[in-house]
Amino acid sequence: MTKPPLRLPALAAVLLALLGPLNAHAQERRNEIGLHWTPDVLASDDRRNRGLAYDRDFGNGWSLGGTLGYGRMERLSEGDGAYAVLRIRKRFAALHSLPSLSPQVGLEYGGTTDLFDTSEIVAGFVGLHFAASPELAFTVDGWFGKIRFESGPFSSAGQVKSRDSVQNIRLGLVFKY
């Protein structure tokens, strides 16, 4: 018994049927690359940071993402350092009276280091997403967190130096694709 040859039009139809939903998702611009910036004048204790963020929308306004950056998350005397955070965010539907404005909330967890000291960051944010076009948007977030400072590698391991509450305004430029 021989199998009938696979016809090219049938194979093409099956592939198009499978790729159809993938193409629809790609057109929704589910990925975001952003530049986050907190100027020291908008932060408590002159803390500042800037970072490159990535977020992946997985439906109904929910997204997972993270940020890698550089800045002064620790006290003024500690200097600048690198930081990384993971984020979960919920962006709500656009406001009826302002269709380019969407509220958003989220939680972040991560850490920062300047080689001599490390910190653990636990934070939440509430903000607004301003859509300038389908590909470009601006964000303004009120960021509220707790930072736990620890000693670095040249002192007693794991010694907690202090805990601080931090509040700042974070600005963002977001590119969707």
Side-chain angles (χ1 to χ4, degrees):
M1 232 171 135
T2 62
K3 292 184 182 180
L6 186 60
R7 295 185 180 175
L8 191 55
L11 180 59
V14 169
L15 285 175
L16 286 175
L18 291 174
L19 293 176
L22 295 177
N23 189 22
H25 290 297
Q27 291 176 358
E28 293 178 17
R29 292 183 177 85
R30 298 177 69 117
N31 296 298
E32 290 184 5
I33 295 285
L35 301 172
H36 288 177
W37 175 51
T38 301
D40 55 356
V41 296
L42 297 177
S44 61
D45 299 333
D46 292 326
R47 290 182 168 100
R48 63 172 186 246
N49 62 56
R50 50 240 169 251
L52 181 63
Y54 171 79
D55 288 286
R56 169 76 174 159
D57 180 14
F58 58 89
N60 294 329
W62 288 98
S63 68
L64 288 175
T67 302
L68 295 174
Y70 185 77
R72 184 187 315 129
M73 296 297 288
E74 300 179 4
R75 298 181 194 284
L76 284 174
S77 61
E78 302 295 332
D80 289 358
Y83 76 94
V85 294
L86 296 175
R87 166 181 45 263
I88 185 165
R89 181 190 69 212
K90 169 68 172 158
R91 185 171 292 148
F92 298 95
L95 300 175
H96 190 293
S97 58
L98 298 168
S100 62
L101 187 64
S102 302
Q104 61 184 19
V105 297
L107 298 173
E108 293 183 336
Y109 177 79
T112 181
T113 183
D114 67 356
L115 297 180
F116 298 105
D117 292 302
T118 60
S119 303
E120 179 183 45
I121 302 168
V122 178
F125 62 91
V126 176
L128 297 171
H129 176 267
F130 302 94
S133 74
E135 297 86 17
L136 178 68
F138 302 96
T139 60
V140 176
D141 295 320
W143 190 86
F144 310 95
K146 295 273 187 191
I147 298 179
R148 185 181 78 171
F149 302 101
E150 296 179 357
S151 58
F154 302 112
S155 56
S156 342
Q159 178 184 0
V160 175
K161 290 170 114 179
S162 66
R163 290 180 170 87
D164 278 349
S165 294
V166 180
Q167 305 86 35
N168 61 46
I169 303 295
R170 179 174 59 195
L171 308 174
L173 178 63
V174 176
F175 304 95
K176 289 185 163 194
Y177 65 97

